[in-house]
Amino acid sequence: MKIVVIGGTGLIGSQVVANLRSAGHEVLAASPNTGVNAVTGEGLADAMKGAGVVVDVDVANAPSFADDAAMDFFVRAGRNLTAAEKAVGVTHHVALSVVGTELLLDSGYFRAKLAQEELIASAGVPWTLVRATQFFEFVGTIAGAAIIDGVARVTSASIQPIASADVAAKVAEAALAPPRNGMIEIAGPERLPMVELVKRHFDGIGETRDVITDDTAPYFGVLLEDRWLTPTGDAWLSKRRYSDWLAAQPKRVA
């Protein structure tokens, strides 16, 4: 079976591609780097020829978190994908999204993600939505963005991060399963305050840094309630813990 992975050269996409190829499938890694641009439509028709499943994991490549740019990116890509899928008879569209999207609407990015989800559900192509919590790989970015005048100020709201490898494995699994016409939530095994996660990050990389709880500190422009970034239903939980994952990463060279 031919499977097209939109965003197939990125952090998640490259791992999804590898998983599906190892299972014996013909997989096209579609991205602007490979001549396929879902936003402009460039190369999309040719990429879709013979495809039975499309996996869209292009979650991080919006040109901006600003309202108009993010909305334009996700909505134009979604409409172009739907048209291309219908033209060749794609039978399953799998998309990666974010746990808590509908609660984070103070952010233009998450309003755009919700619009993308709604477009997928109404497009007429059988679908599965995989909502994941924040990736381990982005905890360092969260920690760095929290530093003000040398001190990391971080909310105590809960977070339940997951390794990108585990996300990719579940997305690949969803691509090979029948469409749910519904949503799956996936998360890591540990729910903890974000401030504690940031402390673990700095401890794990050997960086001495004051980290204080500040519930007015925003998360990508959003003031969080406690459980907005954690799954609410019967979520699939991975086994890989953040501290173990961090310890296994290459050490920084001073």
Side-chain angles (χ1 to χ4, degrees):
M1 176 172 60
K2 179 180 177 181
I3 303 172
V4 177
V5 179
I6 305 297
T9 60
L11 172 65
I12 301 295
S14 60
Q15 296 177 85
V16 172
V17 167
N19 288 342
L20 292 171
R21 284 177 176 165
S22 69
H25 297 282
E26 177 189 355
V27 185
L28 175 64
S31 73
N33 292 338
T34 63
V36 182
N37 190 318
V39 177
T40 66
E42 177 188 359
L44 203 53
D46 286 341
M48 291 291 180
K49 289 178 180 177
V53 176
V54 172
V55 179
D56 184 2
V57 292
D58 203 4
V59 295
N61 292 328
S64 170
F65 270 49
D67 293 20
D68 292 344
M71 187 67 74
D72 181 67
F73 176 86
F74 287 116
V75 171
R76 285 178 62 195
R79 288 173 177 167
N80 287 338
L81 285 171
T82 294
E85 289 168 353
K86 288 183 174 181
V88 300
V90 166
T91 59
H92 191 185
H93 179 100
V94 179
L96 178 62
S97 193
V98 182
V99 164
T101 289
E102 78 284 3
L103 301 173
L104 303 170
L105 299 183
D106 284 345
S107 161
Y109 174 86
F110 290 107
R111 286 196 296 273
K113 285 298 296 178
L114 186 61
Q116 180 196 35
E117 292 183 0
E118 292 169 346
L119 191 157
I120 290 166
S122 64
V125 177
W127 57 281
T128 300
L129 188 69
V130 180
R131 275 189 173 182
T133 53
Q134 185 57 272
F135 309 151
F136 289 169
E137 286 83 352
F138 292 155
V139 173
T141 299
I142 295 170
I147 298 172
I148 300 174
D149 295 330
V151 176
R153 299 177 178 273
V154 189
T155 177
S156 64
S158 297
I159 191 168
Q160 197 164 337
I162 185 171
S164 68
D166 296 325
V167 174
K170 293 303 289 184
V171 169
E173 180 181 301
L176 300 178
R180 287 178 173 244
N181 293 318
M183 179 180 67
I184 305 165
E185 286 191 325
I186 64 175
E190 298 177 288
R191 187 176 78 238
L192 69 166
M194 192 181 298
V195 65
E196 175 61 28
L197 180 64
V198 169
K199 288 177 181 177
R200 291 188 189 184
H201 167 77
F202 286 125
D203 288 345
I205 66 172
E207 181 172 329
T208 301
R209 176 75 59 184
D210 288 333
V211 181
I212 64 173
T213 300
D214 181 353
D215 287 336
T216 68
Y219 174 80
F220 296 112
V222 179
L223 294 180
L224 295 176
E225 297 290 338
D226 180 48
R227 294 294 302 275
W228 282 6
L229 299 181
T230 62
T232 57
D234 185 19
W236 177 85
L237 302 183
S238 63
K239 296 181 179 179
R240 198 177 328 223
R241 297 176 180 274
Y242 178 70
S243 295
D244 296 334
W245 174 88
L246 185 60
Q249 301 310 299
K251 302 305 179 185
R252 299 190 305 176
V253 178

